[in-house]
Amino acid sequence: FFCVFITSYVSAAIYIHLMLLYGSQEPNSVVVRIFGALGFTGAAILFLSPTSTFRRIVRERNVLAYDHTPYVVSFVQCGFWILYGIVQPDRLEVLVTNAFGAFLELLYCSIFIRFASKIPRTRCLRDLFFVFFCLAFVGLVAHVLPLPPSTFVGLIASAVNILMYGSPLRITHRVISTKSIEFMPLSLTLGTFSCSAAWSAYSYAVGDLFIVVPSFSGVLLAITQLIIYSFFYFHQNTPLPSQQQQQVHLYPPYGQDQDGDDDSSKY
């Protein structure tokens, strides 16, 4: 947590410096910059929140039962917001924040691919290739349709942003079935709440509906996830040692098949 806080603080300082050099010069730009700095800090906390998860993956040299979906979805929403920051004037805050996030999400996906077994690795690579194709396709179509590019890209970015905020709910079926919150990271949920709350304030300051809708939705979805986490935190069942071993080895370690044989040559 201390490392996340320090990194977020340094990143926010760099962000504020960039805004002072290249930010908007409108009369209310000071208010926008303040809320933009809060939004960037909240987003940095969200983007850095999976660091504990990936430290465990590196330490175990196995992705365990963690899912790559939240990180791929986060990367695609960062990509669409980068496009939106390019086509929409005076959205440098959005552009800088999501460029930072896209870099981190690609780093997380790279670590996941390195330590995943064959099937989850293939799925992660497939999803990433699909994401790059979608970003290129939307960028081209935005300049062909009669709609303003900012409207078309903003609609897509808003929809994907809501999907990103809700993606951790995918693990809830596992939480409910096992009555265990082991693979529902609290840091990711808290990061989602802080990020969406900060960007809600920013969106009201600039009057951008494309940012208001996903940010407010993110607050509601994060509250839902916190309620689920809190309920099972106080009602979870302690798994038996055999169940814990089965959970940890849900996917075989990198370079081994299900029988424990060294099969790294297959990959």
Side-chain angles (χ1 to χ4, degrees), residues 66-84:
Y66 291 111
D67 188 13
H68 69 277
T69 304
Y71 314 108
V72 174
V73 174
S74 182
F75 173 72
V76 70
Q77 73 90 21
C78 286
F80 283 124
W81 283 120
I82 289 173
L83 290 178
Y84 182 75

Side-chain angles (χ1 to χ4, degrees), residues 5-18:
F5 175 79
I6 293 298
T7 306
S8 301
Y9 179 82
V10 173
S11 302
I14 296 173
Y15 167 86
I16 293 173
H17 180 69
L18 290 174

Side-chain angles (χ1 to χ4, degrees), residues 37-49:
L38 292 175
F40 180 87
T41 305
I45 294 173
L46 174 60
F47 294 142
L48 292 167
S49 61

Side-chain angles (χ1 to χ4, degrees), residues 11-265:
S11 302
I14 296 173
Y15 167 86
I16 293 173
H17 180 69
L18 290 174
M19 290 305 103
L20 291 175
L21 290 178
Y22 307 108
S24 173
Q25 301 300 320
E26 296 177 356
N28 64 340
S29 61
V30 175
V31 176
V32 172
R33 287 172 184 171
I34 293 173
F35 285 128
L38 292 175
F40 180 87
T41 305
I45 294 173
L46 174 60
F47 294 142
L48 292 167
S49 61
T51 52
S52 59
T53 297
F54 283 91
R55 281 202 308 269
R56 181 180 180 186
I57 290 176
V58 173
R59 184 174 63 251
E60 299 285 344
R61 300 186 64 83
N62 191 302
V63 297
L64 306 175
Y66 291 111
D67 188 13
H68 69 277
T69 304
Y71 314 108
V72 174
V73 174
S74 182
F75 173 72
V76 70
Q77 73 90 21
C78 286
F80 283 124
W81 283 120
I82 289 173
L83 290 178
Y84 182 75
I86 293 174
V87 299
Q88 176 69 20
D90 297 328
R91 292 296 179 269
L92 185 60
E93 298 88 353
V94 177
L95 180 61
V96 172
T97 301
N98 287 279
F100 175 72
F103 169 77
L104 288 179
E105 299 304 331
L106 271 181
L107 179 62
Y108 297 147
C109 289
S110 300
I111 296 174
F112 187 94
I113 291 169
R114 169 64 180 83
F115 294 106
S117 57
K118 185 175 183 179
I119 294 177
R121 181 191 307 159
T122 303
R123 290 173 179 169
C124 186
L125 286 171
R126 177 199 62 194
D127 292 346
L128 283 175
F129 282 126
F130 180 72
V131 165
F132 282 113
F133 172 79
C134 290
L135 290 173
F137 180 77
V138 170
L140 291 174
V141 172
H143 293 84
V144 176
L145 294 177
L147 289 174
S150 59
T151 301
F152 177 68
V153 176
L155 287 171
I156 297 178
S158 297
V160 175
N161 205 166
I162 295 173
L163 180 63
M164 186 212 74
Y165 284 142
S167 62
L169 289 173
R170 178 174 175 173
I171 201 66
T172 54
H173 73 281
R174 179 179 177 86
V175 174
I176 294 172
S177 62
T178 62
K179 294 182 173 57
S180 173
I181 56 173
E182 180 182 4
F183 295 105
M184 188 178 187
L186 177 62
S187 59
L188 185 61
T189 304
L190 292 175
T192 299
F193 179 79
S194 62
C195 178
S196 54
W199 282 107
S200 294
Y202 170 84
S203 61
Y204 280 113
V206 299
D208 194 324
L209 188 62
F210 293 124
I211 306 177
V212 170
V213 174
S215 299
F216 183 72
S217 301
V219 172
L220 297 180
L221 289 170
I223 292 175
T224 302
Q225 295 166 35
L226 288 172
I227 291 173
I228 295 173
Y229 186 96
S230 301
F231 178 82
F232 286 101
Y233 178 82
F234 294 104
H235 297 85
Q236 64 179 336
N237 293 334
T238 303
L240 298 174
S242 60
Q243 292 175 326
Q244 289 179 336
Q245 185 177 7
Q246 183 179 5
Q247 278 185 343
V248 171
H249 297 289
L250 181 63
Y251 295 133
Y254 173 75
Q256 293 184 359
D257 58 19
Q258 294 288 352
D259 299 326
D261 300 327
D262 189 355
D263 240 357
S264 57
S265 59

